[in-house]
Amino acid sequence: MKNEIIKEFRKLFHKEPEYIYFCPGRVNLIGEHIDYNGGNVMPCAITLGTYLAVSRNIDKHFHFRCLNFPEVADLHLQSSYSKTGKQWFNYPLGVINQLLNEGHGLAGLDMLYYGNLPIGAGLSSSATIEVLTAFALNEMFLLSLTRKELALISQKSENEFIGVSCGIMDQFAVAMGQSNKAILLNCDTVEFEYIPFDTKEYVLAIINSNKQRTLAESKYNERFAQCGEALKMLKQKLSIRQLCDLSVADFEINNNLINDLILEKRVLHVVSENERVKDAVKALKNGDLDFFGKLMFASHQSLKELYEVSGKELDAIVDICKSFNGCIGARMTGAGFGGCCIALVENSKLEDFKEKLMLSYTSKIGYAPEIFSSLAGDGVREIK
Ligand code: GLA
């Protein structure tokens, strides 16, 4: 991969890249749609991701190129930028804009991106571009920002520049990942702990439903708004700051404060998912993967029925996983509305699993899924 991107960089810019950086994608093991409600989440970085080959230039421009997309941009160095259209280069541009807004001095760059993650499949391809850009600029211009700060800058850019009300989970996971570890992140305080993610005789399979995530952004923002509305109603009587300040038991006593069935379901998902994460931590610490797997299935059920962010494709995958003897847990991962599922599958049965899943999914849905496996990997870094 590294040699290929260097070759392409030379062709495009007629010089050598000064640096190559890599940022992995992420899966969320458990704790879905609760990062923007102050909850606990448990993502890990994976081994696929996005590369950046980059060099300074003297023509005071940002030249954006990407091997995955035909669109290019050549923008003169300015003191700020705004979003143009929906093209991919808005993601690095938003981060550049955020760094400039915070008073960091930058200079022109030739930048070539290439990703081997399925794009828009819920593995955080957008967060990889953001964090990769922030990390590269931090190193090249000696900005002295910590990884945590780079994640927060990237999230701010996604919220304000791109216009998606996402939480901190994705940017944090891809910035802070460590091999063989899950990250337990408290999204309220941004405190975190690495949890050994030892899958023993199981592998972590990632299954891309290949369902296009159309409307995902607007539905995501709608869920974000519904949580805000429910919080307002609960706050009339309860002294809470965020939905995840509530336990399931507290919510059940006070659910009459919410006079809307849909909002009630949303909150029930949020508070129960937050408790599942706490149980999942115990399960991993005790080496009880079976229980961890059960929590994955329960999480999916709640996302399907209460939060309503799954869909027939993701549900089909989880149903097939449930009926496969050798899969102990599966769930959708990320925002939903299409995208990917994760599953824990017995190592020795992986090939059989792939075959069965491929056949049943294709006959149910009409097109094939993509299945690969991944280890928990390290976060953003320079590739020497
Ligand atoms: C997307 C967002 C995250 C998180 C997940 C759902 O990936 O970017 O912040 O909300 O959805 O858990």
Side-chain angles (χ1 to χ4, degrees), residues 120 164 212-222 335-338:
V164 176
Q212 286 304 307
R213 296 168 69 221
T214 43
L215 293 181
E217 280 186 13
S218 60
K219 287 190 188 157
Y220 185 93
N221 285 346
E222 182 190 290
F337 316 107

Side-chain angles (χ1 to χ4, degrees), residues 348-365:
S348 59
K349 295 187 179 160
L350 187 63
E351 287 316 308
D352 188 24
F353 172 79
K354 283 185 182 169
E355 206 175 296
K356 291 229 163 74
L357 184 66
M358 200 55 112
L359 277 174
S360 322
Y361 182 84
T362 310
S363 81
K364 242 189 205 170
I365 302 296

Side-chain angles (χ1 to χ4, degrees), residues 55-94:
S55 255
R56 274 169 268 242
N57 62 40
I58 49 169
D59 71 358
K60 298 195 173 140
H61 275 70
F62 292 109
H63 296 290
F64 295 108
R65 301 288 183 276
C66 179
L67 295 178
N68 304 83
F69 299 105
E71 300 89 19
V72 304
D74 300 286
L75 302 176
H76 198 274
L77 190 56
Q78 292 169 197
S79 54
S80 74
Y81 295 92
S82 45
K83 190 180 163 197
T84 42
K86 288 211 155 223
Q87 288 104 327
W88 71 273
F89 49 77
N90 284 298
Y91 289 90
L93 189 61

Side-chain angles (χ1 to χ4, degrees), residues 26 32-33 35-36 166-167 169-170 220 334-335:
R26 67 98 189 85
E32 212 67 88
H33 280 282
D35 61 344
Y36 51 88
C166 69
M169 174 172 76
D170 301 347
Y220 185 93

Side-chain angles (χ1 to χ4, degrees), residues 276-338:
R276 271 189 290 276
V277 177
K278 292 177 189 163
D279 290 340
V281 175
K282 283 186 212 144
L284 282 188
K285 287 189 173 166
N286 295 334
D288 188 351
L289 271 190
D290 279 320
F291 184 46
F292 188 83
K294 289 200 176 97
L295 293 166
M296 290 170 80
F297 281 132
S299 164
H300 185 82
Q301 196 66 15
S302 175
L303 288 157
K304 173 184 171 185
E305 284 175 358
L306 299 176
Y307 216 65
E308 296 178 286
V309 291
S310 183
K312 70 174 191 309
E313 299 80 7
L314 296 170
D315 293 342
I317 295 171
V318 172
D319 287 345
I320 299 164
C321 288
K322 256 188 199 151
S323 66
F324 184 82
N325 178 14
C327 174
I328 54 168
R331 58 185 291 277
M332 53 156 273
T333 189
F337 316 107

